[in-house]
Structures are given as structure tokens and as C-alpha cells.
Amino acid sequence: ITVPGGITAYAVDGNGENFEIDELVWRGAFVSAFLRHQRTPVSACFKAGCVQNMELLQSPDQERQLLAAVLELYAEGLAQEMQGMLASGLSEVAGDVVPDADVLLETLFHHFQE
């Protein structure tokens, strides 16, 4: 993405290499935000200086968008890779991640169970 005035946005992989941001990267960011939002305790948000914990998914359409993004990540084989990175970060904050668990599916189940 290039913004007039000389700003260029790109993603950085695990090796520090720059690459173009495509729709799949944005979907991964959306799913990652959902996981962090659902799994981070409100008390940790306040300790980090958050003023308010807002509801991430505010309509059935946004929930459908999330499910479409999750399906695409699984179809592309990226969901498992993403979960490994997120599980370690989530366990530091939430402390409740079971090794080898499908964090994404468990979190989706918890969200839709409510």
C-alpha cells in the first residue's frame, strides 16, 4: 500500500523480509485481533492502560466475515502456523493455553456459545 506523500506499508515475515500486504494478510490480522480480544482478560487490558474494552464483533455480518476469514486461513494452511505464534503470546497474558490445542476453534466455540 502506498499513501501519497511517500509512505509505503508492507508486512514483515518471521525472517525480517518485507512483502506485499494482500487480502490474506488482512484476514489473518482480523482473526488475530479476534483471538487476542477474546482471550485477553479485561484486567490485563486495564493494566496495559486500556480505557475501555470494546466488543470486536458487533453484528452477525461481522461474525460471518470472521468465519469466512477463518475458513480461508485453514484452507490456505495458515491457521496452524498462526496458532503456534499466538498460543505462546496468549499463554503469557491469559495463562490458559493447552499445548497442541486448536486455540482458534476453541475460541470460536467459546464466542458463539455465549
Side-chain angles (χ1 to χ4, degrees), residues 14-86:
N15 297 321
E17 301 291 325
N18 300 345
F19 64 94
E20 284 290 318
I21 300 172
D22 60 13
E23 200 60 36
L24 192 58
V25 172
W26 287 118
R27 285 193 180 102
F30 178 44
V31 172
S32 176
F34 166 76
L35 284 170
R36 288 190 315 275
H37 180 271
Q38 292 294 311
R39 307 283 303 207
T40 304
V42 174
S43 61
C45 292
F46 290 124
K47 287 179 187 175
C50 295
V51 176
Q52 181 179 9
N53 185 14
M54 299 181 68
E55 187 59 39
L56 182 65
L57 304 173
Q58 298 181 4
S59 71
D61 187 50
Q62 290 176 333
E63 289 177 332
R64 280 189 288 279
Q65 290 172 354
L66 173 69
L67 291 174
V70 168
L71 287 173
E72 184 174 2
L73 290 173
Y74 275 102
E76 294 290 329
L78 299 174
Q80 299 301 0
E81 177 183 327
M82 189 172 108
Q83 288 189 70
M85 293 182 288
L86 289 170

